[in-house]
Every structure is written in C-alpha cells, then in structure tokens.
Amino acid sequence: MIASRFRSLAKLILSLLLVLGPASAALAQSAANSSQYSAQEIVDAGHGFFGATSGGLAKVVEKAFNSYGLPNGYILGQEASGAFIGGLTYGEGELFTKNAGQHEVFWQGPSLGWDYGGAGNRTMMLVYNLPSIDGVYGRFGGVSGSAYAIAGLGMTVLKRDGVLVVPIRTGVGARLGVNVGYLKMTATPTWNPF
C-alpha cells in the first residue's frame, strides 16, 4: 500500500515537472526579453514621432531588426547637420529603456568625405547591447551616406565596444554624399564635436 502511494506521488511530481518545466523556461525567456523592444513597439513609437513622413519607417525598422535583432533601447530626437567636404552634426533627444527609464542625451560629431549640403532631421536611434545607461555615452564611429532633396529617410550603423547605435533619420533639406565620421554621445550639451 505504501509502495502504491509512493508510485502515485512520484507520477504526480513527474507530471507536474513535465507541465511546469516548459512553462517556467518560457517565463524565464520572457523575463530576459522584457528589456528589449519588439518591432511593433519601435514602429509605433516612430509613427508617433515622425508623423506623416513615416511611410517607409516600417521597412527601415524591419531591415534593422532582420540584421541586428531586438534593441534594448531607442532614442528619439532632432539634429541639424551641414557639410562641405567636412561636416558637423549636433542633436539632442531622449533615450528610452524598459528597465532604466528615460534619459536625456546629446550628440555631436565631425565627418569627412564627399558630402555636401545641410539638413534638419528627426532621428530615431535603435540601441543594441546597451549594458547600462553609461554605455551610450562616448564616440560611435561609422560610414554614412545620404542623397535627398527636400525630404528623405535613411539608416546608418555606428559601433563602439559592442554597443550598436542605428540612427534612422528623416530629413528636410538638400544633402548628397558619403562620409566617415563619428557621433559623440554625452549627458550634457556641448559645442565641441571632438
């Protein structure tokens, strides 16, 4: 009789483990991804931010997600830039994260290349592999290109110490060219692009 109860109890425990095991693994995976943003969350934030000019935003976000996965932060802001062979960019915005809240961020940087024109942009930057808020501050280098008159939408990729920043810009102005440069992210505004 005791052996029969022991077998029944063992079967019950085994059944519970089989049922709860996958559920707890799914819960752990869900918790791990709770600090990341889905494509729909990013598109919704972008549509609210970019407004009527965001027709191609979903395609650009889809390309970023296919290439780099789920970001764990994003920045919404505006910037101004101009270039005649050498150029400068200045911007400001808000960094959004799920687990560390919102933080003000500023960026500035030089560029050099075959690049002419000026633009005012609304910018969304997807942030990948951000270990902490301090991980966004510093210089992110990369190659950028643009070609538009009146308005345009484009994406570039900047990298520093494993953290990727993917700016998606919609601009008004006239700009043509390819350049190499960096953006320096800071917690306070500065005129020094270097």
Side-chain angles (χ1 to χ4, degrees), residues 6 33 40 48 68 70 77 114 117 120 128 131-132 138 145 147 151 190:
F6 180 73
N33 291 335
Q40 191 59 51
Y68 307 108
L70 301 175
W114 188 77
Y128 294 89
S132 67
T190 178

Side-chain angles (χ1 to χ4, degrees), residues 148-164:
Y148 58 85
I150 310 301
L153 184 69
M155 176 183 92
T156 59
V157 179
L158 306 170
K159 185 176 181 178
R160 183 180 69 82
D161 296 335
V163 177
L164 291 178

Side-chain angles (χ1 to χ4, degrees), residues 49-50 53 75-83 88-93 107 115 117-125 144-156 167-176 179 183:
F49 180 67
F50 288 122
T53 63
I75 298 169
L76 295 178
Q78 54 277 335
E79 67 181 23
S81 63
L88 293 174
T89 299
Y90 291 94
E92 64 179 74
W107 60 93
D115 193 11
N121 298 315
R122 292 187 69 100
T123 304
M124 169 186 270
M125 297 185 192
S144 180
S146 53
Y148 58 85
I150 310 301
L153 184 69
M155 176 183 92
T156 59
I168 300 170
R169 297 176 170 109
T170 180
V172 176
R175 191 85 184 250
L176 176 65
N179 63 56
L183 288 181

